[in-house]
Amino acid sequence: MPLLKLDAVQLQFGTHTILDRVDFTITRGEKLGLLGRNGAGKTTLLKLLAGEITPDAGERWLRPGVKLARLQQTLPEADGATVYDVVAGGLPETGELLREYHRLSQQGGDVDMDELARVQHALEAVDGWTLQQRVDTTLTQLQLPADARMGELSGGWRRRVALARALVSEPDILLLDEPTNHLDIPAIEWLEGQLQQFRGAIILITHDRRFLQNVVNCIAELDRGHLSLWRGDYRGFLGHREQELAAEERANALFDKKLAQEEAWIRQGIKARRTRNEGRVRALKAMREEHRNRRARVGQASFAVEDASRSGKLVAEVQDVGKRFGDKVILEHFSTIIQRGDRIGIVGANGAGKSTLVKLLLGELAPDSGTVKLGSKLEIAYSDQLRGHLDPEQNLIDNVCGGQEFIDIGGKRKHAISYLGDFLFSPDRVRTPVKALSGGEQNRAVLARLFSKPANLLVLDEPTNDLDIETLELLEEILLDFDGTVILVSHDRDFMDSVVTSLLVLEGDGVVSEQAGGYSDWEARGGRLRDPGAKQAAPASAKSTAATPAPKSAAPRPRKLSYKDQRELQALPGKIEELETRQASLEAAMADPGFYQGDHGEIERTLAELTAVQQELEQALDRWVELEGED
């Protein structure tokens, strides 16, 4: 059953065509991924589908009674509003009443009883108590603190608040613009599960390829004003698109060859203007017009990291480092060595301390205990996730090139407009203030600034946010060709699989584990970040909406071990030692840089054996603790 339709819709901004007679239909149960290059108009299309803007021509039709909600790409304001107020605002008709009732109910003995009675009566008239229960349930599911102020929350928590606001109305159509931005991996995996179970229709924009593969069942690509649809998953679409582009190139080549032949013919002289050839002349004019109107595909970004002189073999040596903020332990007794050429991914839940660890490694933050020793000849390029190195009031040339007309790249002078053109900025965009750029354009500006200076240590904090998929894949290739050292903080699992050779996993409570291989390798060995459904640390000043856990029952009295249990307890230490030795041996083999270049079957067998050994070891430890407690 169609929920929403576009019929011959046209939309143009100035000379830029966003939609060119687009037809589109979304039905219940469809989960559609919307793809396209940065600037193609994906967010604009979502706004049009949401009814926030009107087309220049054509018709938008929404089935009567259908509810629609949109998650915007930008984060909610970090202001004084409470989480409850923002989430309840997702119920446009009763949200204000629910916010007022929640505010009054928190005042205790100072409450205005007449005002409270008025609000209660108004809520009863619109079935407000059912909607209040829905708000409370949504807050609990996302582990959100109802009375926390938005200004107290990190970007990841504010993103979860925005998701709650979109979900609370239980919409028939859910429009999501980059929903994974600022979410940690556990929250992304939780969101995947929620969207897989969602019964309505979903249209989402995302750069996260694994998220796309796990959630959507059809793909729409916006390219040069046209919207093409593919029924199937993302991987199937990639093969389909490659065939489509090859067919388009062949057709254009044949057309161009025919046009060149006709152009040569028209220049032969007076014969071409005879009456019997007038039809051919008219056909040539039509071909010229068609060629002029052909929309060329947007070029691919073209950039590279300028290598500095080689650093020393030692990049950083960390010994017994501890770091805490108040009562929160970030690191405890952490030690590691980073060598030239390492590609290290840092993963962990939001608030685990990933950015803090980066600043400790760079010497920007002093540890509370232990030492951090940096290597020699380091030239560092650091990009932070909040784009703090860009002045929003200045234009691109001022931000990236220091206002200079020419910039030195690789020892050669290059015009600023040409250099920015490598990052897909047209000449009319280079003098645009940064604050007027889209999220993807701002991220490309960060990369342009980052790669304008020589470096042998790249530190990238969430570099994939808002990049289109093609630019993301190019960035992967560049990092793989980079001869220096890479430290990467990312929640993009596929990106880490493509780039890093080892992980630092922040598991919470100051524990950091080192893992060989990429994220999927760690997952295959049983690795998993803490589930966001479990109790997580919220802001200290916030009150949790979760119910108070029931008190623990009294512990049962220990029982006397049987003879069989005593024999098992005596044998367990030797078995545990044997398993730990085997585990260390397998991990040492996998730490060899050449391990993942070996036979694929042998790699799979080693990973499977390590997983089995880890599981057996955990079971043995659990059993030993159980028997020790009963003895």
Side-chain angles (χ1 to χ4, degrees), residues 501-505 507 513-517 522 525 587 614:
T501 56
S502 63
L503 298 176
L504 292 177
V505 182
E507 299 179 357
S513 64
E514 297 188 65
Q515 304 288 336
W522 177 57
R525 297 194 295 269
E587 289 177 343
Q614 287 176 327

Side-chain angles (χ1 to χ4, degrees), residues 125-156:
V126 294
D127 193 25
W129 304 122
T130 300
L131 297 178
Q132 182 198 36
Q133 182 62 37
R134 192 187 298 172
V135 173
D136 292 340
T137 300
T138 304
L139 290 169
T140 302
Q141 286 177 338
L142 273 72
Q143 292 290 304
L144 291 171
D147 297 317
R149 301 287 176 181
M150 295 295 290
E152 301 170 352
L153 303 181
S154 67

Side-chain angles (χ1 to χ4, degrees), residues 39-84:
K42 301 186 297 296
T43 298
T44 301
L45 176 56
L46 281 195
K47 290 179 180 178
L48 190 146
L49 291 171
E52 296 174 15
I53 58 176
T54 56
D56 299 329
E59 182 182 359
R60 169 190 178 269
W61 174 84
L62 181 68
R63 179 173 291 278
V66 166
K67 289 186 291 185
L68 188 148
R70 183 166 84 89
L71 173 72
Q72 299 187 26
Q73 185 175 355
T74 55
L75 289 173
E77 291 292 330
D79 54 20
T82 68
V83 169
Y84 190 97

Side-chain angles (χ1 to χ4, degrees), residues 578-623:
E578 181 182 337
L579 289 169
E580 288 176 337
T581 301
R582 182 56 183 156
Q583 180 186 33
S585 174
L586 290 170
E587 289 177 343
M590 293 170 61
D592 187 329
F595 173 77
Y596 289 96
Q597 279 72 49
D599 178 69
H600 181 72
E602 184 61 31
I603 293 172
E604 291 296 323
R605 284 190 291 274
T606 303
L607 289 173
E609 182 180 357
L610 179 59
T611 300
V613 168
Q614 287 176 327
Q615 290 175 349
E616 190 176 356
L617 178 59
E618 288 177 5
Q619 291 170 0
L621 287 168
D622 289 343
R623 182 60 175 161

Side-chain angles (χ1 to χ4, degrees), residues 81-224:
T82 68
V83 169
Y84 190 97
D85 289 347
V86 175
V87 174
L91 300 168
E93 296 179 358
T94 56
E96 184 59 40
L97 284 172
L98 289 173
R99 288 197 293 263
E100 184 66 12
Y101 176 76
H102 184 76
R103 182 185 64 80
L104 291 170
S105 64
Q106 297 299 306
Q107 292 179 358
D110 297 331
V111 65
D112 184 337
M113 298 304 296
D114 291 337
E115 180 66 12
L116 181 61
R118 183 193 67 79
V119 174
Q120 287 176 328
H121 180 72
L123 283 171
E124 288 170 359
V126 294
D127 193 25
W129 304 122
T130 300
L131 297 178
Q132 182 198 36
Q133 182 62 37
R134 192 187 298 172
V135 173
D136 292 340
T137 300
T138 304
L139 290 169
T140 302
Q141 286 177 338
L142 273 72
Q143 292 290 304
L144 291 171
D147 297 317
R149 301 287 176 181
M150 295 295 290
E152 301 170 352
L153 303 181
S154 67
W157 282 94
R158 282 156 55 204
R159 172 61 71 181
R160 293 173 75 170
V161 173
L163 280 169
R165 180 185 174 96
L167 292 170
V168 73
S169 65
E170 296 183 352
D172 301 292
I173 303 175
L174 189 56
L175 307 177
L176 304 173
D177 196 347
E178 296 289 0
T180 64
N181 277 4
H182 306 286
L183 291 184
D184 55 25
I185 291 174
I188 291 172
E189 292 173 343
W190 173 87
L191 180 60
E192 285 176 355
Q194 293 294 307
L195 297 184
Q196 287 164 357
Q197 298 171 19
F198 185 71
R199 296 181 180 179
I202 296 172
I203 303 173
L204 66 90
I205 301 169
T206 183
H207 64 270
D208 189 320
R209 292 157 292 181
R210 188 182 297 194
F211 183 80
L212 199 63
Q213 176 66 24
N214 291 344
V215 171
V216 307
N217 54 28
C218 54
I219 298 286
E221 183 178 32
L222 185 59
D223 179 25
R224 294 164 286 175

